[in-house]
Amino acid sequence: MNLVLVFVLAGLMQAIRSFHAPHNGEGLGTTLAFGYLLLTAYFAGTLFKAARLPKLTGYIAAGIVVGPAVLGFLTDSMVQSLKIVNGVAIALVAMTAGIELEFRSMRPLMRTILWITGVAVTGTTLLLATAVFFARPLLPFMANLGVFQSALVSLVLGVVMVAQSPAVVMALRDETQAEGPISRTVLGVVVIADLAVILMFAITSSVAKAFLGQGANVGSTVRALAWELFGSMGVGVLIGLLLALYTRKVKAGSGLFLLAVSFIVAEVGQRLHLDPLLVALAAGILIRNATQAAPEIHHQIDAFSLPVYVLFFAVAGANLHLSVLATVGIPAVLFVVVRGFGLYYGTRAATALAGSPRDVQKYAGFGLLPQAGLALALSMLFAKTFPEFGDAGALTLGVVALNELIAPVIFRVALVRSGEAGKLAPSSQPDMAHGDESGLVDLGPEKV
């Protein structure tokens, strides 16, 4: 039935596009894209789940197939208009991740988390930079660079390609109902590592710009970094206090208020040069560790997060132009292999040094493989920062595309084989991320 619905939606979309006059404006196109992509991705995720594959892989695959890269049901302008969902989803994911990071329960895992971040993530960044440097004959955009300049650009690309995905980790953990030291350790690592990646990108890109002749004022760079890091965390603390106070004093409509705050964090924060991920993460950490509002806010996020997350992964898929693999396929595959090798074996070494349990040593590395929002954002930021390296953006997007499609499946298998899948007891309320027993999905006051 889900497959039939996917084909019916495709037929309706084709019919609507046939009668859709261009002069009707882009607003109708955005509305049409929103509804069509949401329903198609949701049913595709259900089909993938029936095949024992992650639902989010189905969401991504649906976005690729109906997007500009394959069928073209969604145009580039439609996909661009849906990018607002990305910012809201990143804010919600970061806030949820912060709410999950309770200092008391995470303290026993901090030694392992810091070892993995220092050894696996940092080590893989250097490994990727080395691979890029020695793969210069395969990378035309580096042909005219000197050795030192090539090394700097390689380091920036290593930072871009090492980024992980808290969104994928949390989605797979919720989907498999996984609970245990592996899933908790992986969540802690991807959150802390992404903060480190953001900082490393800001530093390495500024240094590279300076030595490539683009000019980078050290003082202004330091001030910008300080504002982005400490300003974002300070604003996040204020937002966390506001949400906790609203939840305690008002309660009614807290879900819509939380969604509005996420939108403001995503859209206004960027215009103020704040990092939405840092803002929302700081808010979530404060809510969990300094207030009593964490359970209620977590419940409110669950109540409306499904359509946002479905669209987030579907839009990520629609943004992936598989044609880039035709031009950068060989180096992209090479760097995916190097990245996977470095993260997995780096995690094995780090967890052994930290004295972690055997299962954590064996499976935690798989959780660092998926990529999504931050990796895409850094790829686009690299292309914007270094427009003279046009093919480099295609290369990093190719790496993200391969990891988006393959890595979630690997991590899901790891969660199942480790025995952590199914250990998180479902709540008495219908699970908003999976639908209730009737097979209907709660998107708000009514079910679809």
Side-chain angles (χ1 to χ4, degrees):
M1 179 58 68
N2 288 317
L3 184 60
V4 171
L5 289 172
V6 169
F7 281 112
V8 168
L9 287 169
L12 290 173
M13 186 64 174
Q14 180 61 36
I16 292 172
R17 290 175 71 245
S18 299
F19 291 104
H20 176 53
H23 65 267
N24 284 345
E26 195 58 40
L28 177 58
T30 301
T31 305
L32 181 65
F34 187 98
Y36 171 67
L37 188 58
L38 174 60
L39 292 174
T40 299
Y42 172 74
F43 290 126
T46 305
L47 289 171
F48 272 63
K49 181 182 179 182
R52 297 184 180 277
L53 294 171
K55 290 193 293 185
L56 67 89
T57 303
Y59 305 153
I60 294 169
I64 293 174
V65 172
V66 304
V70 183
L71 296 179
F73 286 165
L74 303 182
T75 64
D76 284 312
S77 60
M78 286 178 173
V79 174
Q80 291 299 317
S81 68
L82 292 175
K83 279 192 173 182
I84 188 174
V85 177
N86 291 359
V88 176
I90 288 172
L92 288 175
V93 168
M95 190 176 298
T96 306
I99 291 174
E100 295 284 346
L101 296 178
E102 185 181 19
F103 290 152
R104 285 181 298 178
S105 61
M106 294 295 293
R107 191 175 295 118
L109 302 174
M110 284 306 299
R111 176 180 170 85
T112 300
I113 291 171
L114 293 176
W115 269 106
I116 294 175
T117 303
V119 174
V121 178
T122 305
T124 302
T125 301
L126 297 176
L127 186 63
L128 282 166
T130 303
V132 173
F133 183 81
F134 285 105
R136 285 177 295 166
L138 299 174
L139 306 174
F141 61 87
M142 298 184 71
N144 297 322
L145 297 179
V147 173
F148 183 65
Q149 291 176 324
S150 296
L152 289 175
V153 174
S154 298
L155 185 58
V156 180
L157 287 172
V159 172
V160 172
M161 290 188 289
V162 83
Q164 290 94 53
S165 175
V168 174
V169 170
M170 295 194 66
L172 287 174
R173 194 195 64 170
D174 291 343
E175 179 180 330
T176 59
Q177 293 289 291
E179 174 59 29
I182 298 170
S183 52
R184 290 199 301 270
T185 298
V186 168
L187 179 60
V189 170
V190 296
V191 169
I192 292 176
D194 273 2
L195 299 180
V197 166
I198 292 170
L199 179 60
M200 287 192 295
F201 179 82
I203 294 173
T204 56
S205 62
S206 297
V207 173
K209 282 194 298 183
F211 282 95
L212 287 172
Q214 298 184 25
N217 184 281
V218 175
S220 63
T221 299
V222 171
R223 287 192 295 272
L225 278 175
W227 170 248
E228 183 173 351
L229 293 174
F230 300 108
S232 297
M233 289 188 285
V235 172
V237 168
L238 294 177
I239 289 177
L241 291 172
L242 174 65
L243 287 173
L245 182 64
Y246 186 94
T247 302
R248 189 177 69 180
K249 297 292 186 180
V250 182
K251 294 184 179 180
S254 55
L256 289 175
F257 182 73
L258 182 59
L259 186 61
V261 168
S262 300
F263 175 82
I264 293 171
V265 167
E267 295 301 308
V268 178
Q270 287 186 343
R271 287 161 174 78
L272 296 176
H273 303 289
L274 299 172
D275 190 297
L277 187 147
L278 292 178
V279 173
L281 182 65
I285 290 175
L286 180 125
I287 289 168
R288 165 58 70 183
N289 295 279
T291 75
Q292 303 297 318
E296 175 61 23
I297 292 177
H298 201 301
H299 173 72
Q300 292 297 335
I301 292 176
D302 284 345
F304 62 80
S305 61
L306 174 65
V308 176
Y309 292 161
V310 171
L311 281 171
F312 171 70
F313 289 113
V315 171
N319 274 296
L320 294 178
H321 293 270
L322 298 183
S323 58
V324 303
L325 295 178
T327 57
V328 298
I330 294 177
V333 171
L334 170 65
F335 298 141
V336 167
V337 172
V338 170
R339 180 179 180 273
F341 178 90
L343 290 175
Y344 178 73
Y345 285 102
T347 300
R348 291 291 296 260
T351 49
L353 290 170
S356 305
R358 186 175 298 274
D359 281 349
V360 175
Q361 296 183 31
K362 185 176 180 180
Y363 294 108
F366 295 117
L368 276 61
L369 301 182
Q371 291 186 299
L374 179 62
L376 282 172
L378 289 180
S379 297
M380 296 173 185
L381 186 57
F382 179 91
K384 181 179 179 181
T385 306
F386 303 98
E388 66 272 29
F389 302 140
D391 291 342
L395 172 66
T396 54
L397 287 174
V399 172
V400 173
L402 292 171
N403 281 319
E404 275 193 345
L405 293 173
I406 299 170
V409 179
I410 296 174
F411 185 42
R412 186 184 189 280
V413 172
L415 288 175
V416 172
R417 291 191 175 181
S418 69
E420 289 196 0
K423 284 191 174 181
L424 183 65
S427 65
S428 58
Q429 298 295 327
D431 187 348
M432 314 309 292
H434 307 284
D436 59 19
E437 293 180 356
S438 67
L440 302 176
V441 179
D442 197 339
L443 299 181
E446 297 180 349
K447 291 183 178 180
V448 176

